[in-house]
Amino acid sequence: MTMDRAALEETAQAMVAAGKGILAADESNATMTKRLEAVGIESTPESRRSFRGLMFTAEGAADYVSGVIMYDETLRQASDDGTPFPELLARAGILPGIKVDVGAKPLAGFPGESVTEGLDGLRGRLGEYRELGARFAKWRAVIGIGDGRPTQGCIEANAHALARYAGLCQEAAIVPIVEPEVLMDGHHTIGRSEEVTAAVLRTVFERLAEQRVLLEGIVLKPNMLLAGYDCPQQAGVEEVAERTLACFRRVVPAAVPGIAFLSGGQSDERAAAHLSAMNAIGGVPWELTFSYGRALVAAPLKVWASDTAGIAEAQAAFLHRARCNAAARRGEYVESMEHPLAA
Ligand code: 13P
């Protein structure tokens, strides 16, 4: 199959459209069970469907959300009125997406490091997902920072898998989100985060080129440069924004249409503030947007858990986070948006 470059480019550009970002609602059942149980909700296919469905049907979500990443189970589920989620989203003008990796597994020979699996049979699965309405996909590689980590072996294994995945996606007319996540856990400084993130991105873009991946038809989903959460010296918002952009300018080709950051366990407010500061600085060749999981989902989940009948309240909490991050997408997020009544 030859790839349809124009269609891939068009989808990638729609994913990073101005003023909008991506909702990551693709937690595996194991991860979603942890999130639900943490707020006292039993995790069942129905509770997972209900919660995600309320976000997907929130009135006006399409003003802030360009695409939604789903999990296999979610892509096959439907809203209360029986409309399959991919169809419901597409009708609202939101691109349906699908997580296609099967998770980070221990990397043989490299204690404490992982490699993301899911290449076997991927061509067949992508064909089915396309039939079900998926227009883009996600694959997350996980790189930890610690004593002697990451190793080059770990970086190479993950970058190679990301590139193989991206090539298969483009063959299937699906835009790959390429996500090499350098974890923010640990004691490391922001300088170390910068060094590791730059090394990882360099290797990823080398492997993407080797596998003949069309850079205009991908979206990069990286971490921001942050000191590890246990580092006593935390960087301020401006420093994070400046150093992240400076680093990315050196290693991310200008052909990439957009960078959609992950939130990675930052507070909701910090995730918005960092993105906003980067957009305020600007002057970069890529769109700078969000592909947040926790920083969009945690707030509505908490509200919903306190009263699962109060759908409107949970939707309002979701739309509030989406609105804050859409403002950040334009460089216009201010902390006072978090306290609308006090303002
Ligand atoms: P977080 O924003 O919670 O890091 O999740 C984004 C994501 O999809 C990680 O793969």
Side-chain angles (χ1 to χ4, degrees), residues 143 151-163 178 180 195-211 251-252:
I143 312 285
T151 60
Q152 193 56 27
C154 167
I155 295 173
E156 285 289 350
N158 278 289
H160 176 79
L162 273 169
V178 173
E195 187 177 78
V196 172
T197 303
V200 168
L201 290 175
R202 263 190 211 106
T203 306
V204 166
F205 281 102
E206 278 172 21
R207 296 297 158 267
L208 289 174
E210 266 171 21
Q211 294 301 319
V251 292
V252 181

PDB file of all heavy atoms in Angstrom, residues 143 151-163 178 180 195-211 251-252:
ATOM      1  N   ILE A 143      10.710   5.998  29.493  1.00  0.00           N
ATOM      2  CA  ILE A 143      12.141   6.056  29.808  1.00  0.00           C
ATOM      3  C   ILE A 143      12.275   6.634  31.220  1.00  0.00           C
ATOM      4  O   ILE A 143      11.828   7.769  31.471  1.00  0.00           O
ATOM      5  CB  ILE A 143      12.896   6.999  28.831  1.00  0.00           C
ATOM      6  CG1 ILE A 143      12.529   6.724  27.365  1.00  0.00           C
ATOM      7  CG2 ILE A 143      14.399   6.977  29.095  1.00  0.00           C
ATOM      8  CD1 ILE A 143      13.131   5.501  26.754  1.00  0.00           C
ATOM      9  N   THR A 151      19.795   3.569  29.849  1.00  0.00           N
ATOM     10  CA  THR A 151      20.908   3.054  29.060  1.00  0.00           C
ATOM     11  C   THR A 151      20.618   3.312  27.584  1.00  0.00           C
ATOM     12  O   THR A 151      19.453   3.500  27.190  1.00  0.00           O
ATOM     13  CB  THR A 151      21.036   1.526  29.233  1.00  0.00           C
ATOM     14  OG1 THR A 151      19.807   0.924  28.797  1.00  0.00           O
ATOM     15  CG2 THR A 151      21.303   1.143  30.681  1.00  0.00           C
ATOM     16  N   GLN A 152      21.665   3.292  26.766  1.00  0.00           N
ATOM     17  CA  GLN A 152      21.459   3.466  25.325  1.00  0.00           C
ATOM     18  C   GLN A 152      20.652   2.287  24.775  1.00  0.00           C
ATOM     19  O   GLN A 152      19.857   2.452  23.854  1.00  0.00           O
ATOM     20  CB  GLN A 152      22.815   3.615  24.608  1.00  0.00           C
ATOM     21  CG  GLN A 152      22.736   4.101  23.165  1.00  0.00           C
ATOM     22  CD  GLN A 152      21.992   5.434  22.983  1.00  0.00           C
ATOM     23  OE1 GLN A 152      21.950   6.268  23.893  1.00  0.00           O
ATOM     24  NE2 GLN A 152      21.372   5.622  21.822  1.00  0.00           N
ATOM     25  N   GLY A 153      20.851   1.102  25.375  1.00  0.00           N
ATOM     26  CA  GLY A 153      20.101  -0.086  24.925  1.00  0.00           C
ATOM     27  C   GLY A 153      18.606   0.124  25.065  1.00  0.00           C
ATOM     28  O   GLY A 153      17.817  -0.250  24.192  1.00  0.00           O
ATOM     29  N   CYS A 154      18.204   0.717  26.167  1.00  0.00           N
ATOM     30  CA  CYS A 154      16.779   0.971  26.413  1.00  0.00           C
ATOM     31  C   CYS A 154      16.258   2.034  25.449  1.00  0.00           C
ATOM     32  O   CYS A 154      15.181   1.892  24.864  1.00  0.00           O
ATOM     33  CB  CYS A 154      16.602   1.419  27.868  1.00  0.00           C
ATOM     34  SG  CYS A 154      14.985   2.127  28.226  1.00  0.00           S
ATOM     35  N   ILE A 155      17.025   3.094  25.267  1.00  0.00           N
ATOM     36  CA  ILE A 155      16.584   4.169  24.361  1.00  0.00           C
ATOM     37  C   ILE A 155      16.426   3.625  22.952  1.00  0.00           C
ATOM     38  O   ILE A 155      15.421   3.862  22.274  1.00  0.00           O
ATOM     39  CB  ILE A 155      17.589   5.356  24.388  1.00  0.00           C
ATOM     40  CG1 ILE A 155      17.590   6.013  25.776  1.00  0.00           C
ATOM     41  CG2 ILE A 155      17.251   6.381  23.315  1.00  0.00           C
ATOM     42  CD1 ILE A 155      18.666   7.090  25.962  1.00  0.00           C
ATOM     43  N   GLU A 156      17.413   2.833  22.501  1.00  0.00           N
ATOM     44  CA  GLU A 156      17.373   2.275  21.138  1.00  0.00           C
ATOM     45  C   GLU A 156      16.171   1.352  20.943  1.00  0.00           C
ATOM     46  O   GLU A 156      15.482   1.421  19.929  1.00  0.00           O
ATOM     47  CB  GLU A 156      18.651   1.491  20.834  1.00  0.00           C
ATOM     48  CG  GLU A 156      19.869   2.361  20.559  1.00  0.00           C
ATOM     49  CD  GLU A 156      19.787   3.097  19.221  1.00  0.00           C
ATOM     50  OE1 GLU A 156      18.902   2.814  18.401  1.00  0.00           O
ATOM     51  OE2 GLU A 156      20.631   3.985  19.015  1.00  0.00           O
ATOM     52  N   ALA A 157      15.944   0.452  21.903  1.00  0.00           N
ATOM     53  CA  ALA A 157      14.846  -0.511  21.758  1.00  0.00           C
ATOM     54  C   ALA A 157      13.517   0.225  21.637  1.00  0.00           C
ATOM     55  O   ALA A 157      12.669  -0.099  20.791  1.00  0.00           O
ATOM     56  CB  ALA A 157      14.826  -1.473  22.946  1.00  0.00           C
ATOM     57  N   ASN A 158      13.334   1.238  22.468  1.00  0.00           N
ATOM     58  CA  ASN A 158      12.068   1.975  22.451  1.00  0.00           C
ATOM     59  C   ASN A 158      11.918   2.833  21.198  1.00  0.00           C
ATOM     60  O   ASN A 158      10.827   2.940  20.631  1.00  0.00           O
ATOM     61  CB  ASN A 158      11.949   2.831  23.711  1.00  0.00           C
ATOM     62  CG  ASN A 158      11.455   2.006  24.884  1.00  0.00           C
ATOM     63  OD1 ASN A 158      10.291   1.607  24.924  1.00  0.00           O
ATOM     64  ND2 ASN A 158      12.347   1.716  25.829  1.00  0.00           N
ATOM     65  N   ALA A 159      13.018   3.449  20.765  1.00  0.00           N
ATOM     66  CA  ALA A 159      12.949   4.311  19.576  1.00  0.00           C
ATOM     67  C   ALA A 159      12.661   3.469  18.333  1.00  0.00           C
ATOM     68  O   ALA A 159      11.883   3.862  17.461  1.00  0.00           O
ATOM     69  CB  ALA A 159      14.261   5.077  19.408  1.00  0.00           C
ATOM     70  N   HIS A 160      13.279   2.293  18.269  1.00  0.00           N
ATOM     71  CA  HIS A 160      13.048   1.409  17.133  1.00  0.00           C
ATOM     72  C   HIS A 160      11.581   0.990  17.071  1.00  0.00           C
ATOM     73  O   HIS A 160      10.943   1.028  16.008  1.00  0.00           O
ATOM     74  CB  HIS A 160      13.950   0.178  17.239  1.00  0.00           C
ATOM     75  CG  HIS A 160      13.702  -0.825  16.157  1.00  0.00           C
ATOM     76  ND1 HIS A 160      14.192  -0.676  14.890  1.00  0.00           N
ATOM     77  CD2 HIS A 160      12.980  -1.971  16.148  1.00  0.00           C
ATOM     78  CE1 HIS A 160      13.788  -1.695  14.137  1.00  0.00           C
ATOM     79  NE2 HIS A 160      13.052  -2.486  14.882  1.00  0.00           N
ATOM     80  N   ALA A 161      11.021   0.616  18.218  1.00  0.00           N
ATOM     81  CA  ALA A 161       9.617   0.191  18.244  1.00  0.00           C
ATOM     82  C   ALA A 161       8.693   1.350  17.861  1.00  0.00           C
ATOM     83  O   ALA A 161       7.728   1.162  17.104  1.00  0.00           O
ATOM     84  CB  ALA A 161       9.254  -0.343  19.634  1.00  0.00           C
ATOM     85  N   LEU A 162       8.994   2.538  18.351  1.00  0.00           N
ATOM     86  CA  LEU A 162       8.181   3.711  17.990  1.00  0.00           C
ATOM     87  C   LEU A 162       8.192   3.941  16.474  1.00  0.00           C
ATOM     88  O   LEU A 162       7.164   4.252  15.871  1.00  0.00           O
ATOM     89  CB  LEU A 162       8.722   4.967  18.687  1.00  0.00           C
ATOM     90  CG  LEU A 162       8.206   5.272  20.088  1.00  0.00           C
ATOM     91  CD1 LEU A 162       9.045   6.382  20.725  1.00  0.00           C
ATOM     92  CD2 LEU A 162       6.727   5.672  20.081  1.00  0.00           C
ATOM     93  N   ALA A 163       9.360   3.782  15.868  1.00  0.00           N
ATOM     94  CA  ALA A 163       9.477   4.022  14.426  1.00  0.00           C
ATOM     95  C   ALA A 163       8.750   2.941  13.624  1.00  0.00           C
ATOM     96  O   ALA A 163       8.083   3.242  12.630  1.00  0.00           O
ATOM     97  CB  ALA A 163      10.949   4.099  14.025  1.00  0.00           C
ATOM     98  N   VAL A 178       3.653   9.929  18.364  1.00  0.00           N
ATOM     99  CA  VAL A 178       4.921   9.321  18.774  1.00  0.00           C
ATOM    100  C   VAL A 178       5.242   9.846  20.172  1.00  0.00           C
ATOM    101  O   VAL A 178       5.517  11.027  20.349  1.00  0.00           O
ATOM    102  CB  VAL A 178       6.027   9.689  17.760  1.00  0.00           C
ATOM    103  CG1 VAL A 178       7.390   9.208  18.243  1.00  0.00           C
ATOM    104  CG2 VAL A 178       5.694   9.091  16.388  1.00  0.00           C
ATOM    105  N   PRO A 180       7.590   9.400  23.269  1.00  0.00           N
ATOM    106  CA  PRO A 180       8.692   8.903  24.087  1.00  0.00           C
ATOM    107  C   PRO A 180       8.666   9.680  25.407  1.00  0.00           C
ATOM    108  O   PRO A 180       9.110  10.816  25.473  1.00  0.00           O
ATOM    109  CB  PRO A 180       9.930   9.276  23.254  1.00  0.00           C
ATOM    110  CG  PRO A 180       9.480  10.437  22.381  1.00  0.00           C
ATOM    111  CD  PRO A 180       8.002  10.576  22.457  1.00  0.00           C
ATOM    112  N   GLU A 195      19.161  16.650  29.377  1.00  0.00           N
ATOM    113  CA  GLU A 195      20.152  15.789  28.735  1.00  0.00           C
ATOM    114  C   GLU A 195      19.501  14.501  28.223  1.00  0.00           C
ATOM    115  O   GLU A 195      19.717  14.083  27.076  1.00  0.00           O
ATOM    116  CB  GLU A 195      21.188  15.473  29.823  1.00  0.00           C
ATOM    117  CG  GLU A 195      22.414  14.738  29.446  1.00  0.00           C
ATOM    118  CD  GLU A 195      23.306  14.622  30.698  1.00  0.00           C
ATOM    119  OE1 GLU A 195      23.041  13.777  31.575  1.00  0.00           O
ATOM    120  OE2 GLU A 195      24.250  15.403  30.794  1.00  0.00           O
ATOM    121  N   VAL A 196      18.675  13.893  29.081  1.00  0.00           N
ATOM    122  CA  VAL A 196      18.054  12.618  28.707  1.00  0.00           C
ATOM    123  C   VAL A 196      17.006  12.830  27.615  1.00  0.00           C
ATOM    124  O   VAL A 196      16.959  12.098  26.624  1.00  0.00           O
ATOM    125  CB  VAL A 196      17.420  11.926  29.941  1.00  0.00           C
ATOM    126  CG1 VAL A 196      16.603  10.701  29.517  1.00  0.00           C
ATOM    127  CG2 VAL A 196      18.504  11.532  30.939  1.00  0.00           C
ATOM    128  N   THR A 197      16.174  13.859  27.763  1.00  0.00           N
ATOM    129  CA  THR A 197      15.119  14.106  26.769  1.00  0.00           C
ATOM    130  C   THR A 197      15.742  14.386  25.400  1.00  0.00           C
ATOM    131  O   THR A 197      15.270  13.871  24.380  1.00  0.00           O
ATOM    132  CB  THR A 197      14.224  15.285  27.219  1.00  0.00           C
ATOM    133  OG1 THR A 197      13.684  14.965  28.505  1.00  0.00           O
ATOM    134  CG2 THR A 197      13.087  15.527  26.246  1.00  0.00           C
ATOM    135  N   ALA A 198      16.813  15.172  25.372  1.00  0.00           N
ATOM    136  CA  ALA A 198      17.469  15.475  24.094  1.00  0.00           C
ATOM    137  C   ALA A 198      18.024  14.197  23.473  1.00  0.00           C
ATOM    138  O   ALA A 198      17.862  13.954  22.265  1.00  0.00           O
ATOM    139  CB  ALA A 198      18.578  16.504  24.295  1.00  0.00           C
ATOM    140  N   ALA A 199      18.669  13.357  24.281  1.00  0.00           N
ATOM    141  CA  ALA A 199      19.249  12.107  23.753  1.00  0.00           C
ATOM    142  C   ALA A 199      18.155  11.200  23.210  1.00  0.00           C
ATOM    143  O   ALA A 199      18.303  10.588  22.139  1.00  0.00           O
ATOM    144  CB  ALA A 199      20.041  11.399  24.851  1.00  0.00           C
ATOM    145  N   VAL A 200      17.050  11.111  23.936  1.00  0.00           N
ATOM    146  CA  VAL A 200      15.943  10.246  23.507  1.00  0.00           C
ATOM    147  C   VAL A 200      15.344  10.777  22.204  1.00  0.00           C
ATOM    148  O   VAL A 200      15.151  10.020  21.240  1.00  0.00           O
ATOM    149  CB  VAL A 200      14.857  10.168  24.616  1.00  0.00           C
ATOM    150  CG1 VAL A 200      13.578   9.534  24.091  1.00  0.00           C
ATOM    151  CG2 VAL A 200      15.389   9.382  25.822  1.00  0.00           C
ATOM    152  N   LEU A 201      15.077  12.068  22.141  1.00  0.00           N
ATOM    153  CA  LEU A 201      14.446  12.626  20.931  1.00  0.00           C
ATOM    154  C   LEU A 201      15.361  12.498  19.720  1.00  0.00           C
ATOM    155  O   LEU A 201      14.910  12.190  18.616  1.00  0.00           O
ATOM    156  CB  LEU A 201      14.040  14.087  21.162  1.00  0.00           C
ATOM    157  CG  LEU A 201      12.861  14.271  22.128  1.00  0.00           C
ATOM    158  CD1 LEU A 201      12.610  15.752  22.398  1.00  0.00           C
ATOM    159  CD2 LEU A 201      11.587  13.615  21.590  1.00  0.00           C
ATOM    160  N   ARG A 202      16.659  12.706  19.938  1.00  0.00           N
ATOM    161  CA  ARG A 202      17.599  12.549  18.816  1.00  0.00           C
ATOM    162  C   ARG A 202      17.518  11.142  18.245  1.00  0.00           C
ATOM    163  O   ARG A 202      17.446  10.947  17.041  1.00  0.00           O
ATOM    164  CB  ARG A 202      19.034  12.804  19.286  1.00  0.00           C
ATOM    165  CG  ARG A 202      19.486  14.198  19.013  1.00  0.00           C
ATOM    166  CD  ARG A 202      20.986  14.365  19.268  1.00  0.00           C
ATOM    167  NE  ARG A 202      21.157  15.733  19.698  1.00  0.00           N
ATOM    168  CZ  ARG A 202      21.405  16.126  20.938  1.00  0.00           C
ATOM    169  NH1 ARG A 202      21.595  15.224  21.889  1.00  0.00           N
ATOM    170  NH2 ARG A 202      21.493  17.384  21.232  1.00  0.00           N
ATOM    171  N   THR A 203      17.541  10.171  19.129  1.00  0.00           N
ATOM    172  CA  THR A 203      17.494   8.773  18.675  1.00  0.00           C
ATOM    173  C   THR A 203      16.156   8.475  18.006  1.00  0.00           C
ATOM    174  O   THR A 203      16.098   7.820  16.964  1.00  0.00           O
ATOM    175  CB  THR A 203      17.728   7.816  19.866  1.00  0.00           C
ATOM    176  OG1 THR A 203      18.941   8.195  20.502  1.00  0.00           O
ATOM    177  CG2 THR A 203      17.830   6.376  19.414  1.00  0.00           C
ATOM    178  N   VAL A 204      15.070   8.964  18.590  1.00  0.00           N
ATOM    179  CA  VAL A 204      13.746   8.712  18.008  1.00  0.00           C
ATOM    180  C   VAL A 204      13.674   9.268  16.585  1.00  0.00           C
ATOM    181  O   VAL A 204      13.226   8.575  15.669  1.00  0.00           O
ATOM    182  CB  VAL A 204      12.627   9.320  18.898  1.00  0.00           C
ATOM    183  CG1 VAL A 204      11.292   9.382  18.151  1.00  0.00           C
ATOM    184  CG2 VAL A 204      12.475   8.504  20.185  1.00  0.00           C
ATOM    185  N   PHE A 205      14.156  10.494  16.381  1.00  0.00           N
ATOM    186  CA  PHE A 205      14.055  11.064  15.031  1.00  0.00           C
ATOM    187  C   PHE A 205      14.999  10.372  14.042  1.00  0.00           C
ATOM    188  O   PHE A 205      14.682  10.275  12.850  1.00  0.00           O
ATOM    189  CB  PHE A 205      14.219  12.584  15.054  1.00  0.00           C
ATOM    190  CG  PHE A 205      12.938  13.241  15.493  1.00  0.00           C
ATOM    191  CD1 PHE A 205      12.790  13.727  16.781  1.00  0.00           C
ATOM    192  CD2 PHE A 205      11.849  13.290  14.635  1.00  0.00           C
ATOM    193  CE1 PHE A 205      11.579  14.277  17.198  1.00  0.00           C
ATOM    194  CE2 PHE A 205      10.633  13.839  15.035  1.00  0.00           C
ATOM    195  CZ  PHE A 205      10.508  14.339  16.322  1.00  0.00           C
ATOM    196  N   GLU A 206      16.119   9.842  14.522  1.00  0.00           N
ATOM    197  CA  GLU A 206      16.970   9.044  13.630  1.00  0.00           C
ATOM    198  C   GLU A 206      16.246   7.780  13.184  1.00  0.00           C
ATOM    199  O   GLU A 206      16.258   7.412  12.014  1.00  0.00           O
ATOM    200  CB  GLU A 206      18.273   8.647  14.338  1.00  0.00           C
ATOM    201  CG  GLU A 206      19.328   9.730  14.322  1.00  0.00           C
ATOM    202  CD  GLU A 206      20.517   9.351  15.205  1.00  0.00           C
ATOM    203  OE1 GLU A 206      20.710   8.146  15.495  1.00  0.00           O
ATOM    204  OE2 GLU A 206      21.251  10.278  15.603  1.00  0.00           O
ATOM    205  N   ARG A 207      15.621   7.107  14.144  1.00  0.00           N
ATOM    206  CA  ARG A 207      14.926   5.861  13.806  1.00  0.00           C
ATOM    207  C   ARG A 207      13.709   6.135  12.924  1.00  0.00           C
ATOM    208  O   ARG A 207      13.392   5.354  12.027  1.00  0.00           O
ATOM    209  CB  ARG A 207      14.501   5.106  15.078  1.00  0.00           C
ATOM    210  CG  ARG A 207      15.652   4.644  15.939  1.00  0.00           C
ATOM    211  CD  ARG A 207      16.564   3.642  15.229  1.00  0.00           C
ATOM    212  NE  ARG A 207      17.881   3.626  15.854  1.00  0.00           N
ATOM    213  CZ  ARG A 207      18.921   4.377  15.455  1.00  0.00           C
ATOM    214  NH1 ARG A 207      18.806   5.170  14.387  1.00  0.00           N
ATOM    215  NH2 ARG A 207      20.070   4.336  16.088  1.00  0.00           N
ATOM    216  N   LEU A 208      13.002   7.225  13.160  1.00  0.00           N
ATOM    217  CA  LEU A 208      11.850   7.571  12.309  1.00  0.00           C
ATOM    218  C   LEU A 208      12.318   7.784  10.869  1.00  0.00           C
ATOM    219  O   LEU A 208      11.670   7.321   9.921  1.00  0.00           O
ATOM    220  CB  LEU A 208      11.157   8.838  12.828  1.00  0.00           C
ATOM    221  CG  LEU A 208      10.377   8.706  14.144  1.00  0.00           C
ATOM    222  CD1 LEU A 208       9.881  10.081  14.601  1.00  0.00           C
ATOM    223  CD2 LEU A 208       9.184   7.759  14.004  1.00  0.00           C
ATOM    224  N   ALA A 209      13.458   8.446  10.712  1.00  0.00           N
ATOM    225  CA  ALA A 209      13.976   8.675   9.356  1.00  0.00           C
ATOM    226  C   ALA A 209      14.350   7.347   8.704  1.00  0.00           C
ATOM    227  O   ALA A 209      14.027   7.097   7.540  1.00  0.00           O
ATOM    228  CB  ALA A 209      15.181   9.611   9.414  1.00  0.00           C
ATOM    229  N   GLU A 210      15.010   6.475   9.467  1.00  0.00           N
ATOM    230  CA  GLU A 210      15.403   5.171   8.926  1.00  0.00           C
ATOM    231  C   GLU A 210      14.202   4.358   8.452  1.00  0.00           C
ATOM    232  O   GLU A 210      14.277   3.648   7.454  1.00  0.00           O
ATOM    233  CB  GLU A 210      16.099   4.350  10.017  1.00  0.00           C
ATOM    234  CG  GLU A 210      17.595   4.462  10.006  1.00  0.00           C
ATOM    235  CD  GLU A 210      18.189   3.798  11.238  1.00  0.00           C
ATOM    236  OE1 GLU A 210      17.512   2.944  11.857  1.00  0.00           O
ATOM    237  OE2 GLU A 210      19.306   4.162  11.582  1.00  0.00           O
ATOM    238  N   GLN A 211      13.096   4.473   9.198  1.00  0.00           N
ATOM    239  CA  GLN A 211      11.896   3.697   8.842  1.00  0.00           C
ATOM    240  C   GLN A 211      11.008   4.441   7.845  1.00  0.00           C
ATOM    241  O   GLN A 211       9.871   4.044   7.615  1.00  0.00           O
ATOM    242  CB  GLN A 211      11.106   3.327  10.113  1.00  0.00           C
ATOM    243  CG  GLN A 211      11.842   2.362  11.047  1.00  0.00           C
ATOM    244  CD  GLN A 211      12.195   1.048  10.373  1.00  0.00           C
ATOM    245  OE1 GLN A 211      11.390   0.495   9.610  1.00  0.00           O
ATOM    246  NE2 GLN A 211      13.385   0.535  10.639  1.00  0.00           N
ATOM    247  N   VAL A 251      16.478  19.633  18.653  1.00  0.00           N
ATOM    248  CA  VAL A 251      16.339  18.208  18.298  1.00  0.00           C
ATOM    249  C   VAL A 251      15.064  17.820  17.562  1.00  0.00           C
ATOM    250  O   VAL A 251      14.978  16.697  17.067  1.00  0.00           O
ATOM    251  CB  VAL A 251      16.496  17.306  19.550  1.00  0.00           C
ATOM    252  CG1 VAL A 251      17.921  17.350  20.068  1.00  0.00           C
ATOM    253  CG2 VAL A 251      15.524  17.684  20.657  1.00  0.00           C
ATOM    254  N   VAL A 252      14.068  18.683  17.479  1.00  0.00           N
ATOM    255  CA  VAL A 252      12.822  18.314  16.793  1.00  0.00           C
ATOM    256  C   VAL A 252      12.768  19.006  15.428  1.00  0.00           C
ATOM    257  O   VAL A 252      12.749  20.231  15.352  1.00  0.00           O
ATOM    258  CB  VAL A 252      11.572  18.696  17.622  1.00  0.00           C
ATOM    259  CG1 VAL A 252      10.300  18.280  16.882  1.00  0.00           C
ATOM    260  CG2 VAL A 252      11.621  18.052  19.004  1.00  0.00           C
TER     261      VAL A 252
END
